[in-house]
């Protein structure tokens, strides 16, 4: 029985809980669990009001409770109740802006990887990509990566978004294309066509990429296109 305590998305109003519960009990439902969803659990005081409404609405009811999403599970022990609902943390990503996954003891379970498929030598003044949104201020080496917005990489990611090439951190240059994006190879060692690229995941937290791209890690993890080959690797 989902109770709307302030998210105002789904769930019955607090005043409707007795009637809804009566209907379920009359229908002889075998197991009834009371639940709600927090709108601001990532904030340090973000569950207080909703938790109070939930406790008032369910006072005296001896039924299992299900409250905590990832942020509440990690930050608000008072919400743990009988069941918890970890979401983003199952991907090894942090639900917080002020704490990274590593600080929380989380490890990424999804790595979006590709490779360098071409290398361009630019002279000072040469542009990169559509609309010439990046222009080289000096001679530089640019790598072309086989990944673009049709694969789920954010089109709105701008110059400076971090990328790993052969385990070395560098940055995106210019506009993201449908099937390709460009990265700065100017100061990287031993990079050639075929060198591995990590767009997010192992060695490059998805929330770091999301923040740089002006979005949230949830969007990146959900946006992976069906055309992207997926390899499942079992844990040891």
């Amino acid at each position: 029985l989902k109770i709307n305590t302030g998210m105002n998305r789904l769930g019955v109003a607090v005043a409707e809980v007795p009637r809804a519960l009566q209907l379920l009990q009359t229908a002889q439902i075998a197991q009834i669990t009371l639940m709600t969803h927090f709108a601001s659990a990532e904030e340090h005081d973000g569950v207080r009001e909703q938790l109070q409404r939930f406790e008032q609405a369910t006072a005296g009811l001896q039924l299992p409770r299900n409250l905590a999403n990832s942020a509440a599970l990690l930050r608000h022990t008072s919400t743990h109740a009988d069941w918890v609902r970890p979401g983003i943390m199952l991907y090894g990503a942090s639900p917080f802006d002020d704490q990274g996954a590593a600080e929380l003891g989380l490890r990424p379970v999804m790595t979006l990887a590709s490779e360098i498929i071409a290398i361009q030598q630019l002279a000072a003044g040469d542009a990169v990509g559509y609309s010439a949104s990046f222009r080289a201020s000096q001679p530089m080496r640019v790598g072309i990566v086989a990944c673009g917005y049709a694969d789920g990489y954010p089109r709105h990611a701008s110059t400076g978004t971090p990328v790993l090439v052969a385990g070395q951190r560098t940055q995106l240059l210019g506009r993201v294309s449908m099937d390709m994006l460009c990265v700065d190879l100017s100061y990287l060692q031993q990079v050639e066509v075929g060198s591995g690229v990590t767009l997010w995941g192992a060695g490059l937290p998805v929330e770091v990429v999301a923040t740089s791209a002006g979005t949230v890690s949830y969007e990146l993890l959900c946006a992976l296109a069906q055309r992207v080959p997926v390899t499942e690797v079992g844990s040891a």
Side-chain angles (χ1 to χ4, degrees):
L1 174 57
K2 189 168 189 176
I3 303 168
N4 177 15
T5 59
M7 182 72 169
N8 291 314
R9 196 171 59 180
L10 293 177
V12 301
V14 168
E16 297 173 354
V17 170
R19 174 60 175 161
L21 187 58
Q22 182 184 39
L23 289 171
L24 291 172
Q25 291 171 332
T26 300
Q28 298 183 337
I29 301 298
Q31 174 74 44
I32 300 173
T33 297
L34 305 171
M35 69 175 293
T36 194
H37 189 66
F38 298 118
S40 304
E42 70 280 2
E43 299 175 11
H44 287 280
D45 194 31
V47 303
R48 181 174 53 84
E49 291 185 4
Q50 284 190 256
L51 186 57
Q52 286 176 350
R53 293 189 192 108
F54 181 85
E55 290 174 343
Q56 291 169 1
T58 61
L61 299 178
Q62 301 301 311
L63 293 170
R65 287 161 165 74
N66 181 335
L67 302 170
N69 56 8
S70 289
L73 181 58
L74 291 166
R75 185 159 283 179
H76 305 285
T77 57
S78 61
T79 68
H80 289 185
D82 301 290
W83 298 82
V84 294
R85 301 192 306 277
I88 193 73
M89 65 183 292
L90 294 179
Y91 284 85
S94 172
F96 306 125
D97 292 332
D98 59 351
Q99 278 185 292
E103 296 176 74
L104 298 167
L106 301 173
R107 294 181 297 172
V109 299
M110 176 196 287
T111 295
L112 180 61
S114 187
E115 63 182 39
I116 299 293
I117 59 171
I119 294 176
Q120 300 292 342
Q121 300 289 342
L122 270 61
D126 284 348
V128 173
Y130 288 116
S131 300
S133 63
F134 175 83
R135 199 171 289 276
S137 60
Q138 59 186 13
M140 64 187 302
R141 194 167 174 242
V142 173
I144 314 304
V145 180
C147 185
Y149 59 78
D151 300 299
Y153 194 86
R155 183 179 180 275
H156 51 271
S158 59
T159 294
T161 300
V163 179
L164 289 183
V165 178
Q168 304 166 84
R169 187 158 173 166
T170 186
Q171 63 174 343
L172 176 72
L173 298 176
R175 294 256 181 105
V176 175
S177 300
M178 181 183 293
D179 307 303
M180 288 167 278
L181 54 84
C182 303
V183 294
D184 187 359
L185 302 182
S186 299
Y187 304 101
L188 303 191
Q189 303 298 317
Q190 298 180 326
V191 173
E192 57 189 10
V193 171
S195 291
V197 176
T198 297
L199 286 314
W200 67 67
L204 183 58
V206 66
E207 57 264 30
V208 172
V209 178
T211 298
S212 182
T215 185
V216 293
S217 54
Y218 301 79
E219 181 179 6
L220 301 188
L221 294 170
C222 290
L224 197 66
Q226 289 188 351
R227 77 177 196 170
V228 177
V230 175
T231 302
E232 296 184 8
V233 180
S235 59

